């Protein structure tokens, strides 16, 4: 049977084999061609049952003089025999069948029953095989195999065998006018559209078998099945076989074992691509030179200097030249999708995405809130961070152009806040009021950028800048997670001095303070309004050896002994939780590619991998009951500092000139916000993510500006798109084909584009204050593990990272990346080296006070990329990066001139 790949009944095994690529002998294809030239071809036969169809075929054969009339009955008897199918038997049936011998019919051995399912509606053709007696049987209806077959599928039945009464083969190819249910012919109830019958004289069974496999394989082929549906006569079918033969690749028998079953490939070229690429002249170099058919980046062979797909950011970034033109078009594009943004979010996959991103967001809010509190003397702390994240995030997900983007505080903003606070403190300026005016100026500048369509500058951000930026952010996540983990070893050092032999000497005693200290203690207590006599008697009467560590220090005693500073190995436990969460998430995420359990269960485990890992290691932590550092969430809904409210008044505390002067630092914040926001938007809207609903760069920036003004008035942190969490959000919402043919890899369909997950994540973040009793059980090392996973996962699919790994690989072990086929390795290494240097410069800048000019350096990356045009040819850049839009236009103009 074929749905897309071949499956054989394994003799004696009573089961279908693993799906594999059909390997045909060239001879069988030529024989099939001859069969179609000489046999009966009936196109658009009006058939309603198998006996009637077979009668029509035999009648036509007798008419054409291909069959003796006296053999009519025998042929009909053979073709209408009851079909036997390879179905799954329950164990008790299998045991009962052991004793029975299968009676074999000497008159005819049925070698194969094969079947093709093709979508008549021009969809992609898929395939598959046949079942018992003519009416639909219970066995057919309960066969689970039906789930593997796409809707609107139609069957091709291939009936092949040898009989002793024929002198020459009986061949017929039938296409029915309407797909018809032929009862038990097929393994599952699917209407039949095509029939191929081949009965021949005894002794050539193997040859017939191969011809049957050849026609079945052809019927599974997208291009040939198209021909079969549309053919008007015999010549069309033969032309279809010739086209197929043009594409056939021969494997030399001496270099390959025909018994090896070839595993189905991960990806096969689409019919459209094959139509365009496989012109006769290109077939020869398909595997040899460069052929674009298998190329990841698309495009054709390199002989004629063809380029890969153009760097297209999309119409969203076209410059309109009208006031708010881009914003208007964004709203116009997004409005029709607005209802579907809600109902498409109701899916089980959304639950796993919500849990994952929620934990990422609250960890981020707590981390940044804590750091902001330290930097601004608690003018903005964890509480403000929670409230700001919840409000800004949910508003953005509700109204923005790209709701898959997750807002968060970022490192550069944190550094800006610290410098701003120090400047205000040193110059006697009120920090909150000064910050409000900077926020308002910056929000206004963002709105000017929106009104003037300034986002079109993003067109000049090629993969070079994009990958440099996202790699840097991923490294920051990885570095921070590991740095925090190493910090645990400082807090709870491993007790390396411990010697098992000296265990007798490990003790810690509480020693009473000298009497003078007790008297002074008593006097102090007296002035505090407590009776001195009571305290003095109490302290002298104490049995100091019986006190706990806390009590001993409380009453002024001192601890003496080797084990006094001992803390159980919390560092090691923290490391187990940290690394365990990370590695388990990684393992479970890949579980959908494993061989265990059915597909749906594997996918469920993969979707909920992060949640399951967190649950597992939180449980482990609770089981051991060690005092590992836990997630601390504020429990009261009030500002961190007592002397500030939820609203910052704009006037009164600073001199008037501050209101105007604050426009200058605001410019820096605007560049920072603009670059951060738009580069993340470009990464999220990448073509590889197959997003259907258009992006909205101007609309996104508009809302970031508005939310900035609101946050400034409320004294909350400023928010911008967070690259790593946004990529994680997209990864957790990726969709794949539900029904796939056996052996076919699920195809990536795109991302579940909706607003529900983002909104729920931020609402949950807001009510985390009330969830504190539950959240306090989550150990911080577990969340650092999630951070590490986010950082590592967002490096996946970054070409720069793949190119870095090439430095360590000998040429013969390098993967078959498409750019390696087109660009010399030394040029690739040079390009990668430039990127590494840029990344190192950015990293150094980020780690010092100069981080404030970090966004300006991202702009500098665009400049560096422009300079690379003088070092690398446009051909090389097209493969390892993208061509800058102007150059692309120039190339097209040159082509037009040539044509003229």
């Amino acid at each position: 049977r074929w749905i897309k790949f071949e499956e054989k009944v394994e003799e004696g095994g009573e089961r279908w084999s693993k799906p594999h690529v059909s390997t045909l002998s060239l001879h069988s294809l030529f024989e099939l061609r001859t069969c179609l030239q000489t046999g009966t071809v009936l196109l658009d036969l009006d058939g309603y049952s198998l006996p009637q169809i077979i009668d029509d075929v035999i009648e036509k054969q007798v008419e054409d003089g291909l069959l003796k009339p006296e053999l009519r009955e025998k042929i009909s008897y053979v073709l209408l025999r009851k079909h036997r199918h390879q179905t799954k038997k329950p164990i008790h049936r299998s045991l009962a069948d052991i004793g029975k011998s299968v009676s074999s019919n000497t008159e005819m051995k049925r070698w194969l029953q094969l079947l093709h399912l093709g979508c008549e509606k021009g969809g992609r053709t898929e395939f598959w095989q046949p079942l018992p007696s003519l009416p639909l049987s219970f066995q057919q209806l309960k066969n689970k195999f039906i789930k593997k077959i796409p809707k609107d599928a139609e069957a091709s039945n291939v009936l092949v065998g040898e009989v002793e009464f024929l002198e020459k083969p009986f061949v017929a190819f039938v296409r029915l006018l309407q797909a018809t249910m032929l009862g038990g012919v097929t393994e599952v109830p699917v209407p039949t559209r095509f029939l191929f019958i081949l009965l021949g004289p005894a002794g050539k069974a193997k040859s017939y078998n191969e011809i049957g496999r050849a026609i079945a394989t052809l019927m599974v082929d997208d291009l040939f099945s198209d021909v079969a549906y549309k053919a008007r006569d015999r010549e069309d079918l033969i032309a279809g076989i010739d086209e197929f033969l043009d594409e056939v690749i021969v494997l030399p028998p001496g270099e390959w074992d025909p018994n090896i079953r070839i595993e189905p490939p991960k990806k096969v070229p689409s019919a459209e691509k094959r139509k365009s690429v496989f012109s006769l002249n290109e077939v020869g170099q398909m595997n040899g030179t460069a052929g674009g058919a298998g190329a990841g980046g698309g495009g054709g062979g390199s002989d004629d200097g063809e380029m890969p797909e153009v760097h297209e950011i999309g119409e969203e970034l076209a410059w309109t030249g009208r006031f708010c033109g881009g914003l208007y078009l964004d709203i116009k594009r997004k409005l029709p999708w607005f209802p579907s943004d809600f109902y498409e979010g109701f899916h089980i996959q959304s639950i796993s995405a919500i849990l994952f991103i929620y934990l990422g967001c609250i960890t981020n809010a707590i981390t940044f809130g804590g750091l902001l509190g330290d930097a601004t003397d608690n003018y903005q702390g964890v509480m403000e961070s929670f409230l700001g994240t919840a409000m800004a995030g949910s508003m953005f997900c509700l109204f923005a152009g790209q709701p898959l983007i997750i807002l968060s505080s970022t490192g550069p903003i944190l550094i800006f806040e610290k410098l701003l606070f120090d400047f205000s403190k040193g110059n006697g300026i009120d920090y909150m009021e000064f910050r409000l005016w900077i926020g308002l100026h910056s929000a206004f500048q963002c709105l000017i950028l929106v009104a003037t369509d300034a986002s079109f500058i993003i067109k000049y951000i090629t993969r070079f800048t994009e990958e440099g930026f996202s790699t840097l952010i991923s490294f920051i996540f990885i570095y921070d997670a590991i740095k925090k983990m190493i910090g645990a070893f400082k807090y709870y050092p491993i007790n390396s001095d411990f010697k098992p032999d000296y265990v007798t000497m490990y003790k810690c005693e509480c020693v009473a303070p000298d009497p003078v200290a007790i008297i002074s203690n008593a006097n102090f207590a007296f002035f505090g309004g407590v009776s001195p006599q009571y305290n003095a008697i109490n302290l002298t009467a104490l049995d100091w050896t019986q006190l706990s560590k806390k009590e001993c220090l409380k009453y002024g005693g001192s601890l003496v002994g080797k084990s006094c500073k001992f803390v159980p190995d919390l560092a090691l436990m923290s490391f187990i939780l940290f690394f365990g969460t990370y590695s388990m998430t990684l393992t479970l995420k890949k579980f959908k590619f494993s061989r265990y359990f059915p597909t749906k269960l594997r996918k469920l485990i993969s979707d909920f991998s992060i949640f399951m890992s967190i649950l597992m290691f939180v449980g482990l932590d609770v089981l051991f009951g060690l005092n590992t550092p836990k997630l601390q969430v504020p429990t009261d809904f009030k500002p961190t500092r007592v002397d500030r409210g939820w609203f910052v008044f704009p006037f009164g505390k600073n001199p008037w000139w501050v209101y105007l002067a604050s426009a200058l630092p605001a410019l820096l914040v605007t560049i920072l916000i603009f670059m951060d926001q738009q580069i993340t938007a470009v990464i999220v809207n990448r073509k590889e993510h197959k997003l259907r609903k258009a992006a909205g760069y101007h609309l996104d920036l508009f809302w970031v500006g508005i939310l900035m003004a609101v946050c400034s008035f409320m004294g909350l942190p400023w928010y911008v798109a967070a690259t790593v969490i946004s990529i994680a959000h997209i990864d957790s919402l990726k969709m794949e084909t539900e029904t796939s043919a056996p052996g076919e890899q699920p195809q990536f369909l795109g991302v579940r584009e909706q607003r529900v997950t983002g909104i729920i994540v931020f609402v949950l973040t807001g009510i985390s204050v009330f969830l504190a009793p539950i959240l306090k059980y989550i150990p911080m090392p577990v969340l650092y593990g999630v951070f590490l996973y986010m950082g590592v996962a967002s490096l996946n699919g970054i070409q720069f990272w793949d190119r870095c790994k090439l430095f360590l690989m000998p040429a013969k072990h390098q993967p078959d990346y498409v750019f390696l086929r087109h660009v010399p390795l030394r040029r690739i290494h040079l390009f990668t080296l430039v990127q590494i240097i840029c990344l190192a410069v950015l990293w150094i800048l980020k780690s010092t006070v100069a981080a404030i000019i970090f966004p300006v350096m991202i702009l500098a990356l665009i400049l560096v990329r422009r300079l690379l045009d003088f070092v690398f040819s446009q051909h090389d850049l097209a493969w390892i990066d993208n061509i800058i839009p102007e150059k692309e236009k120039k190339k097209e103009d040159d082509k037009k001139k040539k044509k003229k």
Side-chain angles (χ1 to χ4, degrees):
R1 70 182 181 194
W2 279 251
I3 286 191
K4 194 169 179 71
F5 299 101
E6 182 176 358
E7 294 170 74
K8 288 186 169 78
V9 173
E10 301 196 316
E11 288 175 41
E14 290 196 347
R15 64 166 198 166
W16 288 105
S17 70
K18 270 184 74 175
H20 52 276
V21 176
S22 303
T23 46
L24 308 172
S25 68
L26 209 52
H27 190 242
S28 68
L29 283 164
F30 287 124
E31 280 191 311
L32 170 65
R33 195 177 182 281
T34 312
C35 284
L36 288 177
Q37 274 173 325
T38 56
T40 301
V41 174
L42 292 172
L43 300 177
D44 296 331
L45 177 71
D46 195 1
Y48 52 85
S49 71
L50 192 62
Q52 177 248 324
I53 292 165
I54 283 166
D55 276 354
D56 287 358
V57 171
I58 294 171
E59 192 61 50
K60 181 89 169 103
Q61 286 254 345
V62 171
E63 255 178 52
D64 295 350
L66 298 172
L67 182 71
K68 295 175 184 168
E70 61 268 22
L71 294 177
R72 188 191 294 245
E73 291 301 313
K74 284 185 175 181
I75 290 268
S76 186
Y77 168 72
V78 167
L79 290 175
L80 291 174
R81 294 290 311 267
K82 182 177 171 179
H83 285 236
R84 234 171 12 90
H85 294 278
Q86 174 59 45
T87 49
K88 257 190 181 175
K89 294 178 187 172
I91 282 182
H92 58 272
R93 281 276 308 282
S94 306
L95 293 173
D97 289 350
I98 288 172
K100 297 180 189 170
S101 63
V102 180
S103 58
S104 61
N105 185 335
T106 51
E107 204 176 9
M108 169 190 169
K109 292 174 189 162
R110 183 173 310 288
W111 253 271
L112 312 162
Q113 303 159 312
L114 310 159
L115 167 150
H116 142 214
L117 317 169
C119 309
E120 187 189 9
K121 294 166 183 157
R124 100 176 196 277
T125 312
E126 318 216 1
F127 288 86
W128 145 113
Q129 182 238 314
L131 231 155
S133 98
L134 294 180
L136 285 181
S137 69
F138 175 64
Q139 227 174 342
Q140 269 178 301
L141 294 168
K142 72 172 185 173
N143 194 327
K144 286 184 183 160
F145 182 57
I146 193 83
K147 287 180 186 168
K148 291 282 180 191
I149 297 163
K151 285 179 185 171
D152 304 328
E154 296 172 346
S156 290
N157 287 304
V158 179
L159 308 174
V160 207
E162 54 171 12
V163 285
E164 284 171 0
F165 56 77
L166 280 177
E167 289 164 18
K168 60 180 187 175
F170 170 94
V171 181
F173 180 89
V174 181
R175 180 179 74 203
L176 299 178
L177 187 61
Q178 291 292 325
T180 311
M181 285 284 189
L182 296 184
V185 179
T186 53
E187 184 185 356
V188 285
V190 170
T192 295
R193 186 60 176 259
F194 295 94
L195 272 161
F196 178 81
I197 303 167
L198 167 58
L199 292 179
K204 289 186 75 181
K206 190 158 182 355
S207 169
Y208 304 151
N209 190 16
E210 288 305 306
I211 295 169
R213 287 183 60 246
I215 183 71
T217 306
L218 273 164
M219 293 304 287
V220 189
D221 183 74
D222 287 355
L223 298 186
F224 183 83
S225 74
D226 204 34
V227 170
Y229 270 107
K230 292 172 183 170
R232 286 164 305 207
D233 50 31
R234 187 193 305 266
E235 278 63 44
D236 286 353
L237 287 172
I238 289 161
I241 292 183
D242 289 343
E243 253 178 53
F244 182 82
L245 281 164
D246 283 344
E247 288 184 43
V248 162
I249 294 156
V250 177
L251 294 168
E255 294 174 25
W256 177 73
D257 177 6
N259 295 322
I260 293 173
R261 286 178 183 166
I262 302 176
E263 289 275 327
K266 281 194 169 65
K267 203 177 176 194
V268 287
S270 65
E272 286 73 30
K273 205 167 200 176
R274 281 172 55 198
K275 276 177 192 164
S276 63
V277 173
F278 288 109
S279 51
L280 268 172
N281 62 346
E282 217 173 9
V283 171
Q285 51 114 11
M286 192 190 86
N287 230 348
T289 354
S302 62
D303 296 20
D304 52 357
E306 239 183 275
M307 293 288 197
E309 288 173 3
V310 182
H311 171 58
E312 275 297 322
I313 292 233
E315 52 167 1
E316 296 94 349
L317 288 175
W319 193 65
T320 60
R322 295 195 309 273
F323 178 76
C324 289
L327 182 65
Y328 168 71
L329 288 174
D330 274 354
I331 295 170
K332 196 175 161 187
R333 263 191 299 267
K334 295 305 285 188
L335 263 181
W337 295 109
F338 201 70
S340 70
D341 280 346
F342 290 94
Y343 62 74
E344 282 179 14
F346 293 99
H347 189 272
I348 188 148
Q349 194 182 18
S350 302
I351 300 171
S352 64
I354 288 166
L355 292 167
F356 173 29
I357 303 302
Y358 166 63
L359 287 166
C361 279
I362 59 166
T363 314
N364 225 357
I366 285 167
T367 312
F368 274 106
L371 293 170
L372 261 174
D374 295 344
T376 65
D377 197 11
N378 278 336
Y379 273 104
Q380 294 175 73
V382 179
M383 190 64 230
E384 286 76 12
S385 184
F386 265 80
L387 183 66
T389 305
M391 186 200 67
S394 48
M395 289 291 285
F396 186 85
C397 285
L398 189 57
F399 297 114
Q402 184 46 278
L404 294 173
I405 290 175
I406 298 290
L407 294 194
S408 168
S409 298
T410 58
I413 288 182
L414 177 71
I415 288 157
F416 180 84
E417 295 274 19
K418 183 171 169 48
L419 291 174
L420 185 65
F421 180 75
D422 293 345
F423 176 80
S424 307
K425 201 174 171 184
N427 293 286
I429 295 171
D430 182 74
Y431 163 67
M432 292 306 275
E433 195 183 285
F434 187 26
R435 183 181 177 277
L436 164 65
W437 279 96
I438 291 175
L440 291 177
H441 278 294
S442 188
F444 179 65
Q445 286 162 3
C446 282
L447 297 180
I448 290 173
L449 291 175
V450 171
T452 55
D453 286 358
S455 295
F456 87 98
I457 191 176
I458 302 301
K459 278 200 291 201
Y460 299 102
I461 293 180
T462 63
R463 182 185 262 155
F464 177 84
T465 315
E466 217 179 285
E467 290 190 338
F469 180 75
S470 61
T471 307
L472 180 76
I473 306 286
S474 299
F475 280 178
I476 291 172
F477 259 68
I478 295 168
Y479 171 77
D480 282 350
I482 294 171
K483 183 177 154 193
K484 291 205 173 89
M485 200 53 250
I486 292 168
F489 283 81
K490 285 180 186 160
Y491 279 121
Y492 314 108
I494 287 180
N495 195 15
S496 52
D497 296 336
F498 182 81
K499 305 270 188 304
D501 198 29
Y502 296 146
V503 73
T504 50
M505 302 167 77
Y506 282 99
K507 57 180 187 289
C508 183
E509 290 180 340
C510 179
V511 178
D514 54 49
V516 184
I518 295 180
I519 300 298
S520 62
N521 228 357
N523 289 335
F524 173 73
F526 176 67
F527 289 120
V530 185
S531 159
Q533 197 184 2
Y534 170 76
N535 250 321
I537 293 168
N538 204 4
L539 288 177
T540 34
L542 277 176
D543 182 356
W544 290 88
T545 55
Q546 299 301 311
L547 296 180
S548 69
K549 181 179 170 181
K550 265 189 187 168
E551 287 169 340
C552 181
L553 295 173
K554 184 180 170 187
Y555 294 127
S558 49
L559 299 165
V560 179
K562 283 197 170 181
S563 63
C564 290
K565 288 187 176 176
F566 175 68
V567 179
D569 280 335
L570 288 183
L572 214 52
M573 183 65 185
S574 297
F575 183 76
I576 291 167
L577 295 175
F578 165 72
F579 197 72
T581 307
Y582 164 71
S583 47
M584 186 174 170
T585 305
L586 213 57
T587 312
L588 291 182
K589 200 76 185 161
K590 290 178 182 166
F591 194 74
K592 64 176 167 197
F593 304 115
S594 82
R595 293 165 185 264
Y596 305 103
F597 304 118
T599 318
K600 277 193 173 161
L601 186 60
R602 287 205 310 260
K603 194 168 180 327
L604 200 68
I605 290 173
S606 174
D607 283 347
F608 282 88
S609 55
I610 291 154
F611 183 63
M612 287 163 76
S613 305
I614 290 170
L615 221 54
M616 163 94 179
F617 285 96
V618 169
L620 189 74
D621 181 67
V622 171
L623 188 72
F624 281 103
L626 287 177
N627 191 20
T628 44
K630 300 289 194 291
L631 184 61
Q632 298 294 325
V633 182
T635 47
D636 294 333
F637 189 73
K638 61 173 192 276
T640 313
R641 265 181 85 113
V642 189
D643 60 350
R644 62 151 286 190
W646 285 123
F647 182 78
V648 179
F649 196 71
F651 305 106
K653 290 186 180 173
N654 287 337
W656 65 270
W657 55 267
V658 174
Y659 308 143
L660 304 174
S662 49
L664 208 58
L667 193 61
L668 204 57
V669 178
T670 307
I671 296 172
L672 193 150
I673 296 251
F674 180 80
M675 295 310 290
D676 236 349
Q677 176 65 40
Q678 302 298 47
I679 293 183
T680 303
V682 167
I683 293 168
V684 166
N685 293 318
R686 269 182 187 157
K687 196 154 38 177
E688 298 96 275
H689 292 149
K690 295 187 179 175
L691 302 181
R692 294 171 299 127
K693 306 175 181 181
Y697 295 93
H698 310 282
L699 188 57
D700 287 349
L701 192 60
F702 172 77
W703 278 106
V704 167
I706 296 286
L707 289 167
M708 197 167 177
V710 175
C711 286
S712 301
F713 268 116
M714 292 182 70
L716 305 175
W718 294 321
Y719 293 94
V720 71
T723 315
V724 171
I725 298 187
S726 300
I727 294 172
H729 192 205
I730 279 187
D731 277 345
S732 59
L733 288 168
K734 283 185 171 172
M735 297 186 293
E736 287 174 336
T737 42
E738 289 282 329
T739 51
S740 53
E744 188 184 19
Q745 297 283 343
Q747 297 301 309
F748 171 56
L749 293 176
V751 178
R752 204 172 294 286
E753 295 174 67
Q754 37 71 43
R755 298 177 186 272
V756 178
T757 51
I759 294 171
I760 294 178
V761 162
F762 290 113
V763 168
L764 280 175
T765 307
I767 59 169
S768 293
V769 177
F770 310 108
L771 297 177
I774 302 163
L775 296 174
K776 70 176 183 207
Y777 288 108
I778 302 178
M780 286 310 283
V782 166
L783 295 176
Y784 298 149
V786 173
F787 261 45
L788 180 67
Y789 170 75
M790 277 185 183
V792 172
S794 59
L795 283 175
N796 282 348
I798 291 184
Q799 195 208 71
F800 165 62
W801 190 235
D802 293 336
R803 282 188 274 110
C804 285
K805 290 189 264 190
L806 291 179
F807 280 113
L808 307 173
M809 291 182 198
K812 63 178 178 183
H813 294 302
Q814 288 170 354
D816 185 19
Y817 293 132
V818 63
F819 53 83
L820 284 173
R821 294 180 177 191
H822 297 269
V823 185
L825 191 61
R826 61 177 195 284
R827 306 293 288 165
I828 290 173
H829 283 341
L830 178 62
F831 188 82
T832 311
L833 212 59
V834 173
Q835 265 185 304
I836 291 172
I837 292 165
C838 289
L839 193 64
V841 171
L842 282 174
W843 183 271
I844 293 162
L845 269 173
K846 173 211 85 73
S847 310
T848 60
V849 181
I852 201 77
I853 61 160
F854 176 75
V856 183
M857 293 313 294
I858 301 281
L859 279 170
L861 276 183
I862 301 177
L863 191 67
V864 173
R865 170 61 187 84
R866 291 304 290 251
L867 295 174
L868 287 178
D869 279 341
F870 302 109
V871 183
F872 294 90
S873 70
Q874 290 301 306
H875 170 268
D876 290 358
L877 286 172
W879 286 105
I880 46 182
D881 187 39
N882 308 112
I883 295 176
I884 291 172
E886 254 92 86
K887 304 268 180 196
E888 191 53 47
K889 201 160 166 288
K890 192 167 168 290
K891 237 176 69 221
E892 280 170 17
D893 294 346
D894 291 349
K895 271 186 192 168
K896 279 177 191 167
K897 277 179 193 170
K898 269 184 192 173
K899 274 182 189 171
K900 277 181 186 173

